[in-house]
């Protein structure tokens, strides 16, 4: 096997850019949409962007929002922010304008970089934020912006303990929270695995990595950071497309990839998806939502490579638990497990008071990891409720077996996962109840063969003319990202609630999930 690539001395993104630009300047760092930046070009471009941002009046600690599809400029901007001591706020390009406005206002972003084809729809938001500087996200826009900027890195980059990215994750209150991650946390799991001599997730000489998870997700940005730190080539797509992914794997000799289960299912359904097409793969890492055993057992013989499952949260800096390759045995007893914690990471299952529960007993999953978030941005009470004595309270329900493997049973916070995207019912309910024809609403997730789950809304009509499903659909589409829009609307006389008013979602979910041994798909 090729030699493992691990450079523990590289603890920040500026370190990574400088070291690989000197060590292997001509090696492709990132390939996207037919364009390529080698490590020398990535180093130079990111330095120019850093200086251009500082020339625009930004100061260390300022937030830079990026709204657009994957591009080589996006990854150069990530490095630029680290070099200038700025914090990158990647925004999901699927969000509706009101959702984007919340992120911009909550983060206090000073600069917005936005793809040209998104600017028109966003013009009312930009008009409402007169102090926000706006730059285009296209190749020509970056060239004009950085034309006269220095290619020498700024003198005071961010350090391992400084914030470098702020990722927005939906919350049960209906408003996304900004999860602030430190730079050193991006590389913590890398060092834990290498230090223990484990190859659950590793990088080798000659690796070509395909990232299927978008860079506005912690999984996408974390995965790419690992590849850059190892000095290998990362291949990205503006949007995940299974046909294009299959072509890239075959034509570029992709050896390792990170996907969510729904992407894996779509990939396997493509014509020509056989052993020959996947011959270059040595490892598939998947996560973001639980995987169906049937999908995993179908994928193992066709892809014919190592598989590793990762489990974690944005709040844990992505992965904290891994199901290693040797446990991926068809029919094996742990195929349904999320995995076991990495060396140096702790996992506990507790009751509501925080007391550890016996093996096999279901409770709340808690994780202690050096990669955990610094805080929820400007939300000290929410931070204190999630970070308790160094533990991250996940809100997931699960249990541990006698060898420390974690099994996820349910989601305490009612979260729905649609194709790897986190969806919280309360956020959708808040939108629905703003429709004049809706008196009450409840939202649940139901099984979906491709995307894991889909969203179903139960709506109590207001007195008078009941709303039509197509009107509710249009109402939601104007205010929510597409993956959050319910796939079905059921008109009901009342939403089941307990005496304190909490929606009894289990009553609504029961008919859909009966006969399954866990209530995640």
């Amino acid at each position: 096997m090729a030699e493992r690539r691990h450079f523990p001395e590289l603890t920040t993104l500026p370190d990574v850019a400088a070291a690989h630009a000197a060590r292997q300047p001509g090696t492709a760092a990132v390939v996207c949409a037919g364009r390529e930046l080698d490590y020398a070009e990535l180093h130079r471009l990111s330095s120019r962007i850093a200086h251009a941002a500082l020339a625009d009046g930004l100061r260390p600690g300022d937030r830079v929002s990026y709204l657009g599809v994957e591009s080589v400029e996006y990854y150069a901007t990530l490095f630029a922010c680290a070099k200038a001591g700025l914090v990158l706020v990647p925004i999901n390009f699927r969000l509706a304008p009101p959702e984007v406005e919340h992120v911009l206002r909550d983060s206090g972003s000073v600069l917005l970089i936005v793809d040209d084809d998104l600017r028109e729809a966003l013009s009312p938001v930009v008009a409402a934020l007169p102090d926000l500087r706006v730059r285009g996200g296209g190749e020509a826009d970056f060239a004009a912006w950085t034309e006269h900027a220095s290619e020498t890195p700024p003198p005071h980059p961010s350090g391992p303990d400084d914030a470098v990215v702020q990722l927005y994750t939906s919350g049960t209150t209906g408003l996304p929270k900004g999860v602030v991650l430190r730079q050193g946390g991006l590389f913590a799991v890398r060092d834990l695995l290498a230090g223990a001599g484990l190859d659950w997730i590793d990088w080798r000489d000659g690796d070509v990595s395909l990232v299927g998870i978008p860079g506005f997700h912690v999984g996408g940005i974390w995965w790419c950071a690992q590849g850059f730190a190892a000095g290998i080539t990362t291949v990205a797509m503006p949007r995940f497309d299974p046909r294009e992914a299959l072509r890239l794997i075959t034509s570029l000799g992709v050896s390792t990839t990170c996907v969510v289960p729904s992407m894996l299912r779509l990939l396997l359904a493509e014509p020509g998806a056989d052993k020959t097409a996947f011959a270059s793969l040595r490892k598939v890492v998947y996560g973001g939502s639980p995987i169906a055993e049937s999908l995993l057992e179908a994928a193992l013989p066709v892809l014919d490579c190592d598989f590793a499952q990762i489990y974690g949260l944005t709040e844990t800096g992505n992965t904290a638990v891994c199901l290693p390759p040797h446990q991926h045995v068809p029919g094996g007893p742990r195929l349904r497990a999320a995995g076991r914690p990495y060396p140096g990471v702790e996992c506990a299952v507790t009751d509501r008071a925080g007391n550890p529960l016996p093996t096999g007993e279901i409770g709340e999953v808690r994780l202690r990891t050096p990669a955990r978030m610094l805080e929820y941005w400007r939300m000290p009470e929410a931070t204190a409720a999630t970070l308790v004595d160094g533990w991250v309270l996940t809100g997931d329900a699960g249990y541990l077996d006698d060898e420390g493997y974690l099994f996820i049973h349910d989601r305490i916070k009612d979260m729905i996962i649609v194709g790897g995207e986190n969806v919280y019912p309360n956020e959708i309910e808040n939108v629905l109840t703003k429709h004049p024809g809706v008196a009450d609403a409840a939202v649940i997730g139901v099984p979906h063969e491709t995307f894991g789950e889909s969203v179903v809304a139960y709506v109590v009509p207001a007195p008078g003319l009941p709303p039509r499903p197509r009107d509710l659909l249009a109402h939601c589409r104007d205010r929510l990202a597409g993956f959050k829009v319910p796939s079905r609307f059921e008109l009901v006389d009342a939403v089941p609630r307990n005496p304190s008013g909490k929606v009894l979602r289990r009553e609504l979910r029961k008919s859909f999930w009966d006969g399954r041994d866990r209530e995640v798909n």
Side-chain angles (χ1 to χ4, degrees), residues 11-291:
T11 59
T12 68
L13 291 167
D15 290 345
V16 166
H20 292 313
R23 181 183 290 117
Q24 47 186 50
T27 298
V30 57
V31 177
C32 183
R35 297 176 57 213
E36 177 182 307
L37 285 183
D38 63 31
Y39 276 98
E41 292 167 332
L42 176 64
H43 190 34
R44 292 195 297 267
L45 176 57
S46 58
S47 292
R48 293 202 306 271
I49 295 170
H51 282 289
L54 294 172
D56 275 353
L58 276 73
R59 296 292 178 262
D62 281 346
R63 267 54 181 171
V64 176
S65 283
Y66 195 108
L67 179 64
V69 299
E70 305 294 279
S71 67
V72 296
E73 284 80 16
Y74 169 73
Y75 294 103
T77 301
L78 169 63
F79 279 88
C81 286
K83 288 181 176 183
L86 305 170
V87 179
L88 180 64
V89 182
I91 302 178
N92 187 338
F93 59 81
R94 300 171 180 169
L95 296 183
E99 296 172 302
V100 174
E101 183 174 356
H102 167 73
V103 173
L104 293 172
R105 287 187 182 278
D106 185 80
S107 65
S109 289
V110 178
L111 172 65
L112 168 65
I113 300 171
V114 57
D115 278 2
D116 292 339
D117 60 354
L118 299 174
R119 290 187 74 160
E120 182 177 353
L122 210 62
S123 56
V125 172
V126 172
L129 299 167
D131 295 331
L132 181 69
R133 297 170 178 82
V134 181
R135 292 285 183 180
E139 181 181 5
D141 297 312
F142 272 87
W145 182 32
T146 65
E147 182 179 5
H148 303 295
S150 171
E151 294 184 348
T152 302
H156 302 295
S158 59
D161 293 327
D162 294 327
V164 70
V165 293
Q166 184 167 315
L167 302 169
Y168 275 78
T169 180
S170 293
T172 55
T173 62
L175 289 175
K177 300 187 290 289
V179 178
V180 183
L181 299 177
R182 68 180 184 90
Q183 195 164 184
L186 294 174
F187 310 113
V189 168
R190 170 202 70 174
D191 295 337
L192 294 173
L193 281 171
L198 297 174
D199 61 357
W200 298 353
I201 300 173
D202 61 347
W203 305 95
R204 302 285 172 176
D205 285 341
D207 268 345
V208 176
S209 167
L210 176 69
V211 55
I213 302 173
F216 54 75
H217 274 299
V218 67
I221 207 165
W222 175 84
W223 179 258
C224 291
Q226 311 313 301
F228 291 136
I232 57 91
T233 298
T234 294
V235 181
M237 292 178 286
R239 291 179 174 85
F240 180 79
D241 176 84
R243 181 175 300 179
E244 176 65 2
L246 188 62
R247 186 191 71 81
L248 291 169
I249 290 170
T250 303
S251 63
L252 298 182
V254 168
S255 55
T256 186
T257 186
C258 186
V259 295
V260 299
S262 62
M263 294 173 180
L264 188 59
R265 184 183 296 279
L266 292 169
L267 192 59
L268 286 172
E270 279 298 306
D274 56 22
K275 276 190 176 183
T276 302
F278 298 118
S280 62
L281 280 178
R282 71 174 184 86
K283 184 166 291 181
V284 171
V285 176
Y286 65 94
S289 64
I291 194 167

Side-chain angles (χ1 to χ4, degrees), residues 383-432:
T383 300
T386 297
L387 296 183
V388 178
D389 297 329
W391 293 92
V392 177
L393 276 58
T394 68
D396 286 343
Y399 65 91
L400 295 167
D401 71 8
D402 55 4
E403 291 188 30
Y405 281 85
L406 173 67
F407 291 74
I408 299 299
H409 177 74
D410 204 346
R411 289 188 287 275
I412 292 172
K413 298 177 181 177
D414 295 323
M415 187 174 71
I416 304 165
I417 299 182
V418 180
E421 299 277 6
N422 293 352
V423 178
Y424 283 88
N426 196 57
E427 182 180 6
I428 304 168
E429 291 161 0
N430 287 343
V431 168
L432 281 169

Side-chain angles (χ1 to χ4, degrees), residues 189 310-313 316 318-322 340-342 345 367 369:
V189 168
I310 55 176
Y311 164 76
L313 315 173
T316 62
N318 196 40
T319 178
V321 170
C322 181
R340 64 185 306 170
Y342 300 101
V345 173
L367 296 166
T369 166

Side-chain angles (χ1 to χ4, degrees), residues 455-486:
V455 179
V456 170
Y458 290 85
V459 172
V460 178
L465 186 67
R468 296 174 299 183
R470 65 184 183 186
D471 295 332
L472 296 174
L473 185 65
H475 175 80
C476 290
R477 281 178 173 168
D478 288 342
R479 294 162 177 82
L480 295 168
F483 60 86
K484 299 177 184 177
V485 174

Side-chain angles (χ1 to χ4, degrees), residues 307-388:
F307 277 68
Q309 179 179 200
I310 55 176
Y311 164 76
L313 315 173
T314 308
E315 289 86 344
T316 62
N318 196 40
T319 178
V321 170
C322 181
L323 185 68
H326 73 269
Q327 291 291 352
H328 284 76
V329 179
R334 292 202 172 95
L335 274 188
R336 298 180 68 81
R340 64 185 306 170
Y342 300 101
V345 173
E346 297 176 68
C347 178
V349 174
T350 68
D351 61 19
R352 291 183 180 274
N355 301 307
L357 292 173
T359 296
E361 191 166 331
I362 295 171
E364 182 171 18
V365 178
R366 299 183 177 208
L367 296 166
R368 194 200 300 269
T369 166
R372 66 181 176 271
M373 71 174 183
L374 293 172
E375 62 176 339
Y376 288 124
W377 178 241
R378 294 175 175 169
M379 298 183 72
E381 292 183 1
T383 300
T386 297
L387 296 183
V388 178

